[in-house]
Amino acid sequence: MAERKPVESWLTDMDGVLIHEGVPIPGADAFLKKLRDSGHPFLVLTNNSIYTPRDLHARLLRMGLDVPEENIWTSALATAQFLADQRPGGSAYVIGEAGLTTALHDVGYVLTDHEPDFVILGETRTYSFEALTKAVRLINGGARFIATNPDNVGPSAEGVLPATGSVAALITAATGKKPYFVGKPNPLMMRAGLNAIGAHSEGSAMIGDRMDTDVLAGLEAGMRTFLVLTGVTQPKDIDRYPFRPSEVVDSIADLVDRV
């Protein structure tokens, strides 16, 4: 088997890798500084579609982590890019926050509830019965169903919250139509991110804390994968999956010298 090329480009998940419950994970600042200083292309990824890259840049900076806007890749951006490629200048009825609506506006989409091409479901803290009912009726009327990511729950200080995947299941039950999920573990999000920074999968690595999203997406995109043990997946969980990461490390701190 041919030896793999050295890692020249890095993609890393955010929650569970760089931060945990709003606090930086030790080594995250050193890793990001090494990436910036090295000049290697890199992206910080998140399935959360609520925030714009500018919002996330500011939130991370308040935690002491400096990630330029252009190095942040969200499921909202990936969804907007996917739709711009599939149906340029289309229209959509959107359930979501500024991260998603801004991304769609930026690719020239019109947001409307009148015969939209797509119904797009993203993350929000204020899912309303009225909005969900409208989404169901529009999908039954012929609109195509897209969701930013399949995560069933999201974190909060008070405990887990129902997230996009759970709400998508509700709409599917009412319409019989399953959405196309753009975010992880769909390798489309990874490949679009690699294209955004001019990188190739053969010389790229994905760092994540979840086997079922981060590692799977990186694997299916043809990248080297690193699993950190500072988030969801723990050592006892790894053998439950029919695939493995390229390497398992304790935390992001163990990868600083690999950049």
Side-chain angles (χ1 to χ4, degrees), residues 36-183:
R36 294 194 308 271
D37 292 347
S38 70
H40 288 310
F42 75 96
L43 284 177
V44 172
L45 291 86
T46 177
N47 258 358
N48 191 311
S49 64
I50 290 178
Y51 304 107
T52 66
R54 181 178 298 178
D55 296 333
L56 289 171
H57 165 73
R59 288 166 66 90
L60 290 168
L61 198 59
R62 286 196 296 270
M63 300 177 202
L65 302 179
D66 186 4
V67 183
E69 290 180 42
E70 60 268 23
N71 295 109
I72 296 174
W73 188 246
T74 71
S75 65
L77 294 175
T79 298
Q81 184 61 62
F82 169 74
L83 292 172
D85 292 340
Q86 291 287 309
R87 187 178 287 262
S91 61
Y93 175 69
V94 178
I95 299 176
E97 301 286 347
L100 181 56
T101 56
T102 300
L104 290 166
H105 276 305
D106 286 348
V107 297
Y109 255 62
V110 173
L111 306 188
T112 179
D113 60 0
H114 179 67
E115 298 182 353
D117 298 315
F118 299 94
V119 167
I120 306 174
L121 177 67
E123 212 79 58
T124 176
R125 295 290 182 260
T126 56
Y127 290 112
S128 77
F129 185 77
E130 180 183 0
L132 295 176
T133 299
K134 184 166 289 187
V136 166
R137 291 172 180 170
L138 290 170
I139 292 168
N140 284 337
R144 301 150 188 87
F145 187 16
I146 302 287
T148 57
N149 67 85
D151 298 5
N152 287 323
V153 295
S156 79
E158 295 78 27
V160 297
L161 298 169
T164 307
S166 298
V167 181
L170 183 156
I171 295 175
T172 294
T175 62
K177 304 288 179 59
K178 294 182 179 180
Y180 180 75
F181 291 107
V182 176

Side-chain angles (χ1 to χ4, degrees), residues 220-243:
E220 292 189 346
M223 303 166 64
R224 198 169 310 180
T225 55
F226 292 91
L227 176 72
V228 296
L229 302 176
T230 48
V232 173
T233 300
Q234 295 302 302
K236 62 181 175 59
D237 303 320
I238 298 172
D239 284 339
R240 297 176 183 172
Y241 293 89
F243 53 88

